Amino acid sequence: MGDKERDNHSEVTDFIHHSEVTDFILVGIRVRPELHSVLFLLFLIIYGMVLLGNLSMIGIIVTDPRLNTPMYFFLGNLSVIDLSYSTVIVPKAMVNILSQKKTISFVGCAAQLFLYALFMVTEAFILAAMAYDRFIAICNPLLYSIRMSRSVCVQLVAGSYLCGWVSSILQISVTFSMSFCASRVIDHFYCDSNPIEKISCSNTFINKMVSLSLAVLIILPTIIVIVVSYMYIVSTVLKIHSSEGRKKAFSTCSSHLGVVSLLYGTVSFVYLTPPNNPELRKIASVCYILFTPMLNPLIYSLRNKDVKDAMKKVLCKQKVLL
């Protein structure tokens, strides 16, 4: 009878602790207090470059009729995604750097994780769609206008967002169904599933299995599409007799390959970092959340003749107006 009472008391205690969690504390990146201003300034400068680069890319693609093609339609969506997931995390992280409380509400934490997962998954599928676009353009150019019509491109983007939405719903459902009676201090500068799991007093086996299953279902098909597309592209390009033709064909893919390598490289850095080294994991997350969306517009603008010509056109118009 005594054991039963103790079990009931334990269940009631767990319920009370769970119900009391209305906010979390984000520890952030651990630096000496005198370096908080430097860290804030670093985040501010890089985030400003993210805004400038991606908004400029979106503006150029929308306003220049020459960029009204499937490749730039996908690129515009990629810029929106990069801008969005940085904005979901960085402004709150900057506020917390200078704040003493460093809190985020329970609902705010769930929303941040949902949107972060949504945009991250969507980006992986958009990059796969871009690889498929390059495959059709190079390997089946006569069928390009049919295979990559406007409706097909819209469906591919919509499908990418749908995959992101479904996976995000599953992720936050299992993450925030846990009890948080152990602590409410998240050792990170944003709400991510792994550090949230660590402060739960629930059994996290199901959570880990869902996260692993989602990772496999997202990474495997997107990687396969990208790798197979480029295998066919390389095979086709090597059959081109002129070196100028081969160079032109490869140049249309180099920017995309650079962005894919940057994305998967930084994501791998984040999630393959040892769990017992949270500070290194935070630095890896900064690379993905800030440096990747900052560099993506640069990769496409510096290595793409159409984008460079469109940028020159805009700059010339500004000079005339001045």
Side-chain angles (χ1 to χ4, degrees):
M1 189 70 179
D3 290 342
K4 187 176 180 181
E5 287 178 356
R6 276 194 296 272
D7 290 341
N8 289 339
H9 176 72
S10 177
E11 289 175 6
V12 170
T13 303
D14 286 353
F15 173 77
I16 290 170
H17 278 296
H18 178 72
S19 63
E20 284 178 351
V21 176
T22 57
D23 61 7
F24 295 101
I25 297 170
L26 294 170
V27 172
I29 300 172
R30 288 188 173 90
V31 294
R32 294 195 301 271
E34 58 268 25
L35 294 178
H36 283 168
S37 298
V38 176
L39 186 62
F40 176 86
L41 188 61
L42 180 65
F43 269 55
L44 180 63
I45 292 170
I46 299 174
Y47 181 58
M49 293 175 70
V50 170
L51 291 174
L52 179 63
N54 286 286
L55 287 174
S56 298
M57 184 65 72
I58 294 166
I60 289 168
I61 291 169
V62 170
T63 57
D64 196 316
R66 293 176 301 173
L67 303 184
N68 187 20
T69 64
M71 184 174 78
Y72 295 108
F73 175 70
F74 292 128
L75 180 56
N77 278 277
L78 186 68
S79 291
V80 170
I81 291 166
D82 284 343
L83 187 63
S84 298
Y85 72 69
S86 286
T87 302
V88 165
I89 292 170
V90 177
K92 180 62 178 175
M94 289 168 61
V95 169
N96 283 349
I97 288 171
L98 301 180
S99 173
Q100 293 295 322
K101 291 184 178 180
K102 303 184 187 299
T103 57
I104 185 169
S105 68
F106 186 93
V107 174
C109 189
Q112 191 179 66
L113 177 58
F114 172 79
L115 291 171
Y116 169 67
L118 166 65
F119 292 123
M120 186 168 74
V121 173
T122 303
E123 182 164 35
F125 282 98
I126 290 287
L127 287 173
M130 292 174 78
Y132 176 71
D133 170 70
R134 292 298 84 206
F135 159 70
I136 297 296
I138 293 172
C139 300
N140 296 285
L142 297 178
L143 297 174
Y144 185 72
S145 60
I146 300 170
R147 295 277 185 88
M148 297 306 296
S149 65
R150 187 70 175 182
S151 62
V152 171
C153 294
V154 170
Q155 288 170 18
L156 287 170
V157 170
S160 299
Y161 275 99
L162 179 62
C163 291
W165 186 83
V166 171
S167 63
S168 299
I169 287 289
L170 290 171
Q171 185 67 70
I172 67 163
S173 296
V174 295
T175 300
F176 291 97
S177 63
M178 299 186 296
S179 297
F180 300 102
C181 51
S183 172
R184 63 188 187 98
V185 179
I186 300 173
D187 191 10
H188 215 313
F189 63 90
Y190 67 95
C191 292
D192 195 11
S193 56
N194 285 329
I196 292 174
E197 282 178 14
K198 291 180 181 179
I199 65 171
S200 172
C201 53
S202 302
N203 188 333
T204 59
F205 177 77
I206 294 175
N207 193 292
K208 291 180 186 297
M209 287 299 101
V210 170
S211 296
L212 180 61
S213 300
L214 287 173
V216 171
L217 290 171
I218 293 161
I219 294 171
L220 201 58
T222 53
I223 287 290
I224 287 173
V225 169
I226 292 169
V227 170
V228 172
S229 294
Y230 275 102
M231 285 173 63
Y232 278 102
I233 287 169
V234 170
S235 175
T236 302
V237 170
L238 292 177
K239 292 176 185 176
I240 299 173
H241 298 295
S242 68
S243 59
E244 188 64 30
R246 286 197 298 269
K247 184 180 178 182
K248 185 178 179 181
F250 275 128
S251 68
T252 64
C253 303
S254 59
S255 298
H256 177 256
L257 278 174
V259 170
V260 168
S261 302
L262 185 62
L263 173 71
Y264 283 100
T266 51
V267 170
S268 299
F269 184 27
V270 172
Y271 290 101
L272 295 179
T273 302
N276 60 354
N277 196 338
E279 294 308 307
L280 181 60
R281 191 162 193 160
K282 292 173 194 176
I283 300 302
S285 297
V286 170
C287 292
Y288 172 69
I289 291 163
L290 276 172
F291 286 100
T292 299
M294 179 188 74
L295 292 173
N296 282 351
L298 289 175
I299 292 172
Y300 269 98
S301 60
L302 294 176
R303 305 198 59 162
N304 189 296
K305 186 178 183 299
D306 293 334
V307 174
K308 283 193 286 188
D309 289 344
M311 289 177 70
K312 287 176 184 176
K313 187 179 176 182
V314 171
L315 291 173
C316 287
K317 281 184 177 180
Q318 287 182 343
K319 285 180 181 179
V320 170
L321 292 172
L322 291 173

